[in-house]
Amino acid sequence: MARSEQDLLSTEIVNRGIESSGPNAGSLTFSVRVRRRLPDFLQSVNLKYVKLGYHYLINHAIYLATIPVLVLVFSAEVGSLSKEELWKKLWEDARYDLATVLAFFGVFVFTLSVYFMSRPRPIYLVDFACFRPQDDLKVSKEKFIELARKSGKFDEESLEFQRRILQTSGIGDETYMPKAVMSNENCATMKEGRLEASTVIFGALDELFEKTRVRPKDVGVLVVNCSIFNPTPSLSAMIINHYKMRGNIFSYNLGGMGCSAGIIAMDLARDMLQANPNYYAVVVSTEMVGYNWYPGRDRSMLIPNCFFRMGCSAVLLSNRRRDYRRAKYRLEHIVRTHKGSDDRSFRSVYQEEDEQKFKGVKVSKDIMEIGGDALKANITTLGPLVLPFSEQLLFFGTLVWRYLFKGDRSHTSYAKPYIPDYKLAFEHFCVHAASKNVLDELQRNLELSDKNMEASRMTLYRFGNTSSSSIWYELAYLEAKERVRGGDRIWQIAFGSGFKCNSAVWRALRRVRKPARNPWLD
């Protein structure tokens, strides 16, 4: 095995307890588990990823170059004059050359107007809501296996495999699942899908409209994302019908885009708000657990059963400047990375039928490596937009130095890459709660503290993997703990099928007090 491939593997000794039967009865037994790790992507950053982020800075280089020169010339001209001489010169020029003064003032006002009119509209996050199901839908890990056995859909080997996955998943004993999943009937039906969709979506939207005091008819843009369940009429049409929204609403329904679709939906809503002044936009992110339930024996398809749970988020965005006073956050950046042109990335999370013709989502064993490559591209593109200048200078300098001496690793000038400290760019991190292993590897690669990862780990433990809505449950956790203060920057990062990795950066406009409605209040 090649050295580079060995570096992606980690081993773990697992205590399997006391053997109850067989030749080793009464003695402790152990097994060695081998896992694939995320590649150390910050140790192998490519220049092509960084230049995308620096492209933004280059577009504004004219301002960075000309403003200091103008300030220097103006200072040299004015610095040689006393206050009396300066005032006399201005008064005489205004008295004898009024046309020049008026022309200068007109050009100044025109330039200022063009600048403010050409600036993109600020996008405010007024508030958001995360659906919390009823307590009778809670399922512990033991109950999960017990109900799965009673359903008659799995053999003993499949049950044992799911039990082992759950034990190391990072998921707790109070996550939520639809009742239909554990019955002996087929739960992947349109009826059950619509029932689950109406439960989670209307639950989140009812709370959102109550918290914001915005009428459904006031919403001008509606974006819904759900990867697996895409009925006709669409989920967005179902919402419009239920709340009797206006007929000229801009409605979009995104399907098949995986766990990172929530940020894609946010990007679409932002573009619509930039083009339409004085609008409200609602973004709904969810996934249907029952419709995606896999009853077969393929282990790579059984993995989603163990992680995905019920959940939904609803977010209200606004481009109205008067909403600044009541909004919680302002959208700073969205960076999207898509690796779909690579065949291996494209098939890393793939929906298909198994040998028994059961439909499910197949997760590749290379998912960690593929995800690491997408993460590397995304965070190095985002870096120049958010990192302090000192971090950018160190990072870019060592990157160029390595590029110049890439052919000679033994050269004394060949430096290790400088790993930027993203904790200097953000106060809070909301990393998609995919699994415990993914969170562990991200924490190691980005050198984050346990407190930085607390919201993600607690969301995985309490609610499981709720797909694209998980990053909002994490932000709700931070709000419930009253950790968000005015000026704080929040980084939401999610990844999913395609393979895609997307980031959103928010800035808190004020200190966020503990909300009256929040899924974490208990």
Side-chain angles (χ1 to χ4, degrees):
M1 184 181 294
R3 177 67 182 172
S4 58
E5 189 172 347
Q6 288 180 355
D7 292 340
L8 297 178
L9 302 178
S10 63
T11 58
E12 177 185 2
I13 299 177
V14 180
N15 185 351
R16 303 182 65 87
I18 298 176
E19 189 73 23
S20 58
S21 61
N24 298 321
S27 60
L28 285 173
T29 57
F30 298 87
S31 63
V32 178
R33 180 175 296 152
V34 180
R35 288 195 178 99
R36 296 188 71 85
R37 304 168 59 179
L38 278 177
D40 201 357
F41 47 86
L42 286 179
Q43 296 289 337
S44 58
V45 177
N46 291 326
L47 194 61
K48 64 179 180 179
Y49 298 138
V50 184
K51 70 180 182 182
L52 296 175
Y54 281 103
H55 178 71
Y56 177 87
L57 297 179
I58 293 172
N59 287 341
H60 296 76
I62 184 65
Y63 303 110
L64 299 175
T66 56
I67 291 177
V69 173
L70 292 176
V71 171
L72 187 63
V73 172
F74 181 78
S75 301
E77 180 70 22
V78 176
S80 60
L81 301 176
S82 63
K83 288 184 179 180
E84 293 77 10
E85 292 174 336
L86 179 62
W87 177 253
K88 183 178 180 181
K89 186 175 181 62
L90 290 174
W91 174 253
E92 290 179 353
D93 287 346
R95 183 178 178 182
Y96 297 108
D97 199 0
L98 184 61
T100 302
V101 174
L102 291 176
F104 173 80
F105 183 74
V107 170
F108 176 76
V109 172
F110 175 77
T111 304
L112 204 61
S113 301
V114 170
Y115 171 74
F116 282 106
M117 291 177 64
S118 61
R119 288 180 63 192
R121 299 176 183 275
I123 305 300
Y124 301 116
L125 191 159
V126 179
D127 212 333
F128 67 97
C130 295
F131 176 68
R132 176 177 167 178
Q134 299 295 326
D135 287 346
D136 61 343
L137 297 178
K138 283 184 181 180
V139 57
S140 65
K141 288 178 284 190
E142 287 300 321
K143 187 178 180 181
F144 178 95
I145 298 299
E146 178 186 343
L147 293 174
R149 178 178 284 108
K150 288 182 179 179
S151 70
K153 298 176 181 178
F154 306 100
D155 57 18
E156 284 300 321
E157 290 185 3
S158 298
L159 290 170
E160 182 59 27
F161 174 75
Q162 292 180 84
R163 183 193 299 277
R164 293 200 305 269
I165 292 293
L166 284 170
Q167 287 175 350
T168 59
S169 64
I171 294 177
D173 289 327
E174 294 190 354
T175 58
Y176 302 93
M177 296 194 69
K179 291 182 177 180
V181 163
M182 293 306 181
S183 68
N184 55 7
E185 301 293 333
N186 178 22
C187 62
T189 63
M190 298 300 294
K191 179 181 178 181
E192 293 296 339
R194 285 194 171 95
L195 177 61
E196 183 182 348
S198 61
T199 301
V200 298
I201 292 176
F202 297 155
L205 285 172
D206 287 346
E207 180 181 336
L208 179 70
F209 291 137
E210 179 184 341
K211 290 168 73 172
T212 59
R213 299 185 300 277
V214 170
R215 300 179 305 166
K217 285 186 178 294
D218 294 334
V219 177
V221 178
L222 174 64
V223 184
V224 181
N225 70 269
C226 180
S227 186
I228 299 295
F229 183 60
N230 292 287
T232 299
S234 66
L235 295 176
S236 59
M238 181 184 76
I239 294 172
I240 293 170
N241 174 262
H242 180 80
Y243 291 101
K244 309 304 178 188
M245 292 179 165
R246 65 197 204 190
N248 63 343
I249 188 172
F250 294 104
S251 171
Y252 301 91
N253 200 96
L254 306 181
M257 305 195 78
C259 299
S260 64
I263 296 179
I264 298 174
M266 201 67 57
D267 193 21
L268 175 58
R270 178 187 65 172
D271 291 344
M272 295 303 300
L273 290 176
Q274 294 289 4
N276 298 277
N278 298 318
Y279 263 55
Y280 283 123
V282 168
V283 177
V284 178
S285 301
T286 187
E287 191 58 83
M288 300 303 110
V289 177
Y291 197 76
N292 191 39
W293 192 252
Y294 173 68
R297 302 176 182 178
D298 190 317
R299 294 191 172 187
S300 62
M301 292 184 174
L302 285 169
I303 293 176
N305 286 4
C306 301
F307 287 98
F308 285 94
R309 298 292 186 267
M310 293 178 71
C312 179
S313 65
V315 182
L316 179 67
L317 303 176
S318 172
N319 60 10
R320 307 183 185 201
R321 297 190 185 276
R322 60 178 175 270
D323 283 325
Y324 171 83
R325 292 184 177 274
R326 68 171 184 146
K328 289 183 174 181
Y329 308 97
R330 182 178 66 240
L331 182 60
E332 298 281 310
H333 304 287
I334 289 181
V335 174
R336 294 167 55 183
T337 302
H338 204 304
K339 291 290 184 177
S341 59
D342 176 66
D343 292 339
R344 198 168 63 127
S345 298
F346 175 72
R347 296 188 66 90
S348 60
V349 182
Y350 202 81
Q351 187 180 23
E352 60 183 2
E353 292 85 16
D354 65 4
E355 295 178 352
Q356 298 173 284
K357 303 302 180 183
F358 289 128
K359 174 174 60 66
V361 175
K362 193 169 199 172
V363 179
S364 168
K365 65 179 181 180
D366 299 324
I367 188 68
M368 298 287 278
E369 182 182 352
I370 292 167
D373 187 51
L375 283 165
K376 175 179 66 175
N378 188 266
I379 67 174
T380 50
T381 303
L382 178 69
L385 304 179
V386 298
L387 288 170
F389 182 73
S390 59
E391 289 293 300
Q392 293 188 44
L393 189 63
L394 288 170
F395 175 70
F396 189 70
T398 55
L399 192 65
V400 172
W401 202 256
R402 281 167 56 87
Y403 181 77
L404 295 175
F405 294 98
K406 64 181 180 180
D408 185 8
R409 289 180 176 267
S410 62
H411 197 284
T412 56
S413 299
Y414 186 81
K416 291 183 177 180
Y418 177 74
I419 301 176
D421 187 358
Y422 281 87
K423 296 187 292 295
L424 297 175
F426 305 105
E427 283 73 34
H428 308 288
F429 297 80
C430 297
V431 181
H432 170 49
S435 70
K436 180 179 181 297
N437 292 338
V438 170
L439 296 180
D440 288 344
E441 292 301 315
L442 273 170
Q443 181 176 5
R444 181 181 65 85
N445 275 275
L446 294 179
E447 299 181 352
L448 302 179
S449 67
D450 290 338
K451 188 174 182 179
N452 295 145
M453 299 297 294
E454 183 180 324
S456 300
R457 294 189 187 281
M458 291 304 297
T459 296
L460 179 64
Y461 181 82
R462 180 61 180 81
F463 293 98
N465 184 343
T466 60
S467 190
S468 55
S469 64
S470 69
I471 54 178
W472 295 106
Y473 283 87
E474 293 161 17
L475 186 54
Y477 177 86
L478 296 172
E479 290 190 354
K481 292 284 186 179
E482 295 190 274
R483 292 181 181 174
V484 181
R485 302 180 181 274
D488 283 0
R489 296 153 297 181
I490 299 99
W491 182 17
Q492 292 180 322
I493 183 167
F495 32 87
S497 60
F499 194 86
K500 299 181 289 292
C501 179
N502 302 316
S503 292
V505 179
W506 302 88
R507 183 178 291 274
L509 299 177
R510 54 185 170 84
R511 182 177 181 181
V512 179
R513 302 288 183 179
K514 183 182 292 188
R517 298 281 299 272
N518 188 289
W520 296 95
L521 290 185
D522 62 342

